[in-house]
């Protein structure tokens, strides 16, 4: 999507030159002491602006890639914890009052593995918020602002790259909320798996540890826009509602 948008913007000056016979820079700003109205200096402007655009696209792709990969790894850690919790639940359900020492040792080992997995999963979920909360806030705010600008340009001018840019920006905006929703679903699954354990069949020390695990799980986890709003489908619907109201307002103003 980012590449297709870049191609649309790069081809637009060529489209203007072929249709109107006028030179148009990629971005409407000038380098000092270089008049882009001449052909040779125009290509200097174009090469400089194209370099900035390519660099921006690379940084945009890399920042999104880091967020997606780190969130995906956190989800995988939660899945591993869920597997071990389900195995522990099966062992507890099958346990009898006359469990031998080997069964108790296996359950103790499985419980220690579950606590380790839970601590690691929650640590990664917290790191996702700590490392990328500000980035998510900036990305969401700038994409909402860009979508509003694109909708305004769609109504006022017939500029074909805007349609491509609007689609790409809206897709990337939706991707953040989809990732946040997947993380939220995994957190809910983890909470359900923990609370469904037959904790009363654990030893007294393990029951105390279980209480700490439940207490930790009740603390807020998930991907947010720097604590301003959670990145889930409820917040996504609120954003879509605001964008729709803005678009209707623009249509009424133009009419």
């Amino acid at each position: 999507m980012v590449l297709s948008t870049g191609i649309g913007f790069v081809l637009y000056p060529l489209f203007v030159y072929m249709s109107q016979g006028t030179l148009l820079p990629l971005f409407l700003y000038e380098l000092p002491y270089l008049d882009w109205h001449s052909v040779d200096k125009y290509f200097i402007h174009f090469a400089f602006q194209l370099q900035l655009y390519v660099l921006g696209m690379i940084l945009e792709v890399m920042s999104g890639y880091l967020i997606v990969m780190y969130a995906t790894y956190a989800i995988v850690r939660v899945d591993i914890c869920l597997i071990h919790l389900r195995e522990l639940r099966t062992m507890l359900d099958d346990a009898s009052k006359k469990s031998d020492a080997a069964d108790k040792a296996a359950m103790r080992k499985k419980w220690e593995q579950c606590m380790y997995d839970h601590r690691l999963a929650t640590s990664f979920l917290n790191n996702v918020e700590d490392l990328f909360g500000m980035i998510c806030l900036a990305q969401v705010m700038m994409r909402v602002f860009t979508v509003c600008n694109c909708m305004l340009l769609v109504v006022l001018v017939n500029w074909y790259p805007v349609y491509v840019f609007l689609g790409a920006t809206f897709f990337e905006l939706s991707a953040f909320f989809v990732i946040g929703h997947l993380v939220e679903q995994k957190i809910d699954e983890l909470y359900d798996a923990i609370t469904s354990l037959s904790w009363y069949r654990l030893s007294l020390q393990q029951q105390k540890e279980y209480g700490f695990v439940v207490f930790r799980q009740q603390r807020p986890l998930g991907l947010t826009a720097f604590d301003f709003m959670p990145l889930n489908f409820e917040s996504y619907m609120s954003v879509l509602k605001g964008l729709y109201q803005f678009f209707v307002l623009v249509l009424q103003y133009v009419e």
Side-chain angles (χ1 to χ4, degrees):
M1 296 298 291
V2 176
L3 181 61
S4 63
T5 305
I7 293 174
F9 272 93
V10 170
L11 293 180
Y12 184 71
L14 179 62
F15 172 76
V16 173
Y17 180 77
M18 295 180 62
S19 60
Q20 302 179 9
T22 58
L23 294 176
L24 182 68
L26 186 60
F27 301 110
L28 296 179
Y29 67 88
E30 301 181 11
L31 293 176
Y33 309 108
L34 290 176
D35 185 11
W36 58 269
H37 293 88
S38 60
V39 176
D40 54 344
K41 296 179 181 178
Y42 171 81
F43 281 105
I44 297 177
H45 274 83
F46 188 84
F48 177 76
Q49 294 176 353
L50 182 62
Q51 177 190 4
L52 292 180
Y53 193 85
V54 171
L55 181 61
M57 286 195 302
I58 293 175
L59 293 177
E60 165 65 21
V61 172
M62 288 302 298
S63 64
Y65 175 81
L66 286 176
I67 295 174
V68 171
M69 290 297 101
Y70 211 98
T72 302
Y73 190 76
I75 291 174
V76 171
R77 296 305 312 183
V78 174
D79 280 330
I80 294 174
C81 185
L82 287 172
I83 293 174
H84 291 153
L85 284 171
R86 288 162 184 162
E87 292 176 351
L88 177 62
R89 182 176 61 185
T90 302
M91 296 173 65
L92 291 174
D93 293 339
D94 295 339
S96 61
K97 295 182 180 180
K98 296 182 180 180
S99 299
D100 54 15
D103 293 337
K104 292 181 180 179
M107 285 190 292
R108 182 174 62 254
K109 184 177 180 180
K110 183 62 67 176
W111 170 248
E112 292 175 354
Q113 181 66 48
C114 290
M115 285 196 301
Y116 173 78
D117 292 335
H118 182 266
R119 183 169 61 252
L120 196 60
T122 53
S123 174
F124 270 99
L125 291 171
N126 287 330
N127 288 337
V128 170
E129 174 62 23
D130 295 338
L131 294 175
F132 304 111
M134 179 62 74
I135 298 177
C136 290
L137 175 63
Q139 295 275 18
V140 171
M141 290 181 61
M142 293 306 299
R143 276 163 176 74
V144 170
F145 180 75
T146 304
V147 169
C148 292
N149 285 338
C150 290
M151 290 191 295
L152 184 61
L153 290 174
V154 165
V155 175
L156 296 179
V157 297
N158 188 18
W159 192 37
Y160 83 93
V162 173
Y163 296 96
V164 181
F165 194 64
L166 175 61
T169 306
F170 187 79
F171 174 80
E172 292 176 354
L173 174 65
S174 303
F176 280 93
F177 289 97
V178 171
I179 295 171
H181 176 71
L182 294 176
V183 172
E184 186 180 59
Q185 277 189 327
K186 287 300 175 182
I187 294 173
D188 293 340
E189 290 182 19
L190 183 60
Y191 181 79
D192 292 338
I194 292 173
T195 55
S196 63
L197 288 176
S198 301
W199 58 270
Y200 51 87
R201 293 184 177 176
L202 297 171
S203 64
L204 183 60
Q205 179 62 31
Q206 291 172 351
Q207 290 180 16
K208 294 179 181 179
E209 295 170 348
Y210 176 80
F212 284 111
V213 171
V214 173
F215 176 76
R216 178 63 186 87
Q217 191 63 27
Q218 289 175 346
R219 293 177 57 188
L221 289 172
L223 193 61
T224 67
F226 203 61
D227 291 333
F228 281 93
M229 65 175 179
L231 295 181
N232 51 27
F233 279 170
E234 289 77 9
S235 300
Y236 185 52
M237 292 298 106
S238 299
V239 172
L240 291 182
K241 182 179 178 181
L243 292 175
Y244 174 75
Q245 291 174 349
F246 176 81
F247 186 68
V248 172
L249 182 62
V250 171
L251 288 179
Q252 292 177 352
Y253 177 78
V254 172
E255 293 177 356

